[in-house]
Amino acid sequence: MTTPAPTPPAPETETESVLRHRPFTLFWGARVASTLANQMQIVAVGWQVYQLTHSAFDLGMVGLVQFLPALVLALVVGHVADRYDRRKIARICLFIEGLAAAALAIGSYHGWLTKEVIFAIVFVIGATRAFESPTVQALVPGLVPPRLLPRAIAWSASATQTAVIIGPALGGFIYVLGPSAVYASSSTLFLMASLLVALIRIESVLPRREPATVKSVLAGIAFIRSRPAILGAISLDLFAVLLGGATALLPIYAHDILSTGPLGLGLLRSAPAVGALSMAIFLARRPLSRKVGRSMFTAVAIFGLATVVFALSRSFALSLAALVVLGASDMISVVVRSSFVQLETPDHMRGRVSAVNSVFIGTSNQLGEFESGVTAAWLGPVHAVVLGGVGTIVVVLLWIRLFPTLFKLDRLADPHAQAAANPEPSSAGAAKAG
């Protein structure tokens, strides 16, 4: 009697492979912890500044003092990310953010925290995050094999969106105990994230430290300008977010148009993140494999269409649904764009390219809110949001004509395959005509 051969174990799926890469798992945990900490801190700082000043202008200043260092340091931080160990940079940045949150906690507890001190500490946080953001973006490709990068980016985005949903509510809940409790919790999470990054072990060669010249500092901008498809991908996101900034006017919609209260406003604010999280998880399990360029353009067009539907809706349920679709379509664009840019950029350039990309993203978010406010003041909120949504669709049509290589992009490139043929990756190499 023969013994039946044992059934071979089922092959490990690519999704499981991503999650079982210990460096990426540690990175994912660090992203959850740091984003939670940041979201909780944003709630506490905003509420505390308003309690101290009762000034909407000062609330706007909180965002400005965080954005300015990111804008001023953009070229410097990218160069640093390409010259030094990115894990160390991320670890140090998270540690400093933990210390800054601890300073806010101590100042709140002892009662010496003034508006000016908060702005100074928030400025330090903004400068630190200016270094952290592009470094973290450039770090991801080194944590997983190239073929798994789109899944890794999707899982990383899911971590961020989960924290965006949970963080503000958790911060508001803890604020009942006082602002110092929120800041202390944020400090603990930042330090935990720093420890998780410190535990990441990957085989990597330190980047060649080229001299810090004007040419090397500006190399990120020069590289993007020399790659039309990369420029098209980054600028498409810039103009889509800049024009389609419906979320900036949510308080007006909640109060004056949909006639709902603070709870309704909270649901409206969470809806885009819910859609983005759902899509991020879906793409992590079933990544786009063909016609990724068309998928990105289609997603941005749907983003604009969902913006128009939200603008014209008078139903709370329909408005929620439109915001969920808006968030989901935006996530498709984010995953495709991020994967494409990272795969098409040589490792020694990723810090500088990511720094420029971070400025584009930050500029679109900040200026998008400003544009929405100004347009709403001129035309009214409904016309302003409709105009933004239609403008986004127009940009999509225009970008298809300006960047046909990006639109025809079929598959995301394999950098190893490219390196065998050409050590300098080319955007056009990943596209197929027709």
Side-chain angles (χ1 to χ4, degrees):
M1 181 176 176
T2 59
T3 304
T7 303
E12 188 181 53
T13 67
E14 288 191 316
T15 299
E16 290 171 339
S17 297
V18 172
L19 297 179
R20 289 183 182 179
H21 275 75
R22 187 170 186 270
F24 180 77
T25 303
L26 292 169
F27 172 83
W28 192 89
R31 289 292 289 166
V32 172
S34 62
T35 309
L36 267 177
N38 185 54
Q39 292 295 318
M40 292 166 59
Q41 189 170 265
I42 288 173
V43 170
V45 167
W47 190 266
Q48 191 173 27
V49 166
Y50 194 71
Q51 282 187 321
L52 289 172
T53 67
H54 297 285
S55 168
F57 177 78
D58 286 330
L59 281 178
M61 284 294 296
V62 172
L64 183 62
V65 296
Q66 290 185 82
F67 173 68
L68 284 179
L71 181 62
V72 173
L73 296 171
L75 299 178
V76 176
V77 300
H79 194 74
V80 170
D82 284 335
R83 284 169 60 90
Y84 300 97
D85 189 328
R86 291 162 185 160
R87 289 166 296 175
K88 290 183 179 180
I89 298 173
R91 183 173 76 239
I92 292 171
C93 289
L94 291 167
F95 184 77
I96 293 174
E97 290 176 64
L99 294 182
L104 290 170
I106 295 171
S108 297
Y109 183 79
H110 291 286
W112 51 259
L113 202 64
T114 63
K115 174 187 74 174
E116 291 74 19
V117 174
I118 293 176
F119 286 165
I121 295 176
V122 167
F123 182 86
V124 172
I125 293 172
T128 305
R129 290 185 65 82
F131 281 89
E132 177 197 346
S133 180
T135 301
V136 167
Q137 290 181 43
L139 179 61
V140 176
L143 302 177
V144 296
R147 65 186 178 84
L148 298 181
L149 182 60
R151 294 177 186 265
I153 289 177
W155 279 116
S156 178
S158 73
T160 301
Q161 295 301 326
T162 300
V164 167
I165 294 171
I166 298 174
L170 184 60
F173 179 77
I174 299 177
Y175 200 95
V176 174
L177 302 176
S180 58
V182 182
Y183 296 136
S185 300
S186 295
S187 177
T188 301
L189 287 168
F190 276 128
L191 296 177
M192 184 186 304
S194 179
L195 176 60
L196 289 173
V197 172
L199 294 175
I200 294 176
R201 296 288 183 268
I202 54 175
E203 293 183 7
S204 62
V205 179
L206 284 176
R208 178 172 57 87
R209 296 185 181 180
E210 55 184 298
T213 63
V214 174
K215 181 179 179 180
S216 67
V217 170
L218 297 176
I221 296 176
F223 179 84
I224 291 174
R225 289 183 61 187
S226 69
R227 303 301 195 277
I230 293 181
L231 176 62
I234 295 176
S235 58
L236 176 65
D237 178 77
L238 167 67
F239 284 103
V241 177
L242 183 64
L243 293 172
T247 53
L249 302 178
L250 286 181
I252 297 176
Y253 267 82
H255 186 272
D256 298 337
I257 297 174
L258 299 175
S259 301
T260 185
L263 177 59
L265 175 59
L267 292 174
L268 291 172
R269 285 198 176 278
S270 297
V274 170
L277 174 61
S278 302
M279 182 56 67
I281 294 174
F282 177 81
L283 292 176
R285 296 183 176 276
R286 296 181 178 274
L288 299 171
S289 58
R290 299 295 303 273
K291 298 183 178 179
V292 294
R294 296 190 184 196
S295 297
M296 181 176 68
F297 278 96
T298 301
V300 177
I302 292 174
F303 177 91
L305 182 60
T307 300
V308 173
V309 172
F310 172 79
L312 300 176
S313 170
R314 296 297 180 270
S315 164
F316 183 73
L318 178 59
S319 297
L320 275 180
L323 290 174
V324 170
V325 172
L326 182 148
S329 58
D330 183 52
M331 181 53 59
I332 296 174
S333 172
V334 167
V335 170
V336 173
R337 185 191 73 251
S338 299
S339 301
F340 174 68
V341 172
Q342 294 289 7
L343 288 172
E344 291 289 317
T345 305
D347 185 67
H348 70 277
M349 288 291 302
R350 281 186 177 131
R352 281 164 285 186
V353 172
S354 295
V356 176
N357 190 27
S358 294
V359 171
F360 271 58
I361 294 171
T363 300
S364 63
N365 288 330
Q366 299 290 335
L367 293 185
E369 293 182 4
F370 177 73
E371 179 270 338
S372 296
V374 171
T375 310
W378 288 346
L379 306 176
V382 173
H383 290 92
V385 177
V386 168
L387 181 63
V390 172
T392 299
I393 297 173
V394 171
V395 166
V396 169
L397 297 176
L398 180 60
W399 255 235
I400 290 174
R401 293 185 61 87
L402 292 177
F403 303 97
T405 300
L406 180 62
F407 177 70
K408 296 173 183 177
L409 183 71
D410 187 40
R411 298 175 183 269
L412 294 172
D414 183 345
H416 292 308
Q418 283 188 343
N422 183 2
E424 191 76 11
S426 169
S427 306
K432 293 183 179 179

